Amino acid sequence: MSKCKYCGTEIVWMKDGRKNIPVEVDGAKHECEEFKKTARSFKQLKPTDIDPEVLKQYQENMKKKLKK
């Protein structure tokens, strides 16, 4: 059995079409407040928010990795 990495509840992963859904042992879909809090705290950055030199270096490093 797997455990939710946010709240520690035992879950089972079930396939629903192409999606994997966490299901608790009693059969109910697993939705915990810890995950919801974490999902709300994600910060999204736009390319214009990043220093152009740092963005250029990141893009060059990605190109180097793709060539390997």
Side-chain angles (χ1 to χ4, degrees), residues 11-23:
I11 57 173
V12 178
W13 290 96
M14 303 290 284
K15 212 54 160 159
D16 183 23
R18 297 180 69 197
K19 293 174 73 176
N20 290 324
I21 309 268
V23 179

Side-chain angles (χ1 to χ4, degrees), residues 33-56:
E33 285 299 316
E34 290 84 355
F35 173 72
K36 290 178 184 177
K37 288 178 189 175
T38 304
R40 278 187 247 128
S41 70
F42 286 131
K43 182 176 180 182
Q44 293 183 352
L45 294 175
K46 297 177 184 172
T48 57
D49 295 341
I50 303 172
D51 182 30
E53 291 183 22
V54 173
L55 183 61
K56 182 179 178 183

Side-chain angles (χ1 to χ4, degrees), residues 2-14 20-36:
S2 302
K3 290 190 180 233
C4 175
K5 69 179 180 180
Y6 301 101
C7 66
T9 305
E10 288 199 17
I11 57 173
V12 178
W13 290 96
M14 303 290 284
N20 290 324
I21 309 268
V23 179
E24 293 181 8
V25 179
D26 64 355
K29 182 178 175 184
H30 177 70
E31 296 176 338
C32 59
E33 285 299 316
E34 290 84 355
F35 173 72
K36 290 178 184 177

